[in-house]
Amino acid sequence: MATALTTQGGALHFLAIVTDPENDATEVEIMLAGQGTGLYLYDDGTNGDTGAGDGVYQWLLPDLGPTSNPVTILLELEARDLAGNHSHIWPYLVVED
């Protein structure tokens, strides 16, 4: 399950609950048009994550202020584990400004 929530002030909070039979998930990457962005959700109690090692990956993008050109961006999430297995890209989040 994954979701993206906007909060007052324009910050964007990503949250993904990751379950893995071997319990060895290592990362959740934010994808753009099916391509990796190098931006990751965390499960270590930092960067907006509220509890280390709980399988809940989070990332908080702080308020960057208003933009002069509103955009719509399609974002996706992909989880990976130690063995190199990866989830289906999901859930096709739409961020509108």
Side-chain angles (χ1 to χ4, degrees), residues 1-81:
M1 179 171 78
T3 187
L5 306 171
T6 55
T7 60
Q8 187 175 14
L12 185 63
H13 181 216
F14 290 89
L15 181 143
I17 299 171
V18 178
T19 58
D20 181 58
E22 290 80 31
N23 200 29
D24 65 350
T26 57
E27 61 188 30
V28 175
E29 185 174 9
I30 298 171
M31 311 289 279
L32 177 63
Q35 301 298 311
T37 63
L39 300 172
Y40 295 89
L41 282 65
Y42 295 85
D43 188 22
D44 62 1
T46 67
N47 297 291
D49 181 49
T50 56
D54 60 3
V56 179
Y57 288 73
Q58 301 181 70
W59 184 55
L60 181 63
L61 178 64
D63 183 6
L64 301 177
T67 61
S68 58
N69 298 315
V71 295
T72 299
I73 302 171
L74 179 67
L75 297 175
E76 305 139 332
L77 300 177
E78 181 180 76
R80 299 181 193 106
D81 68 12

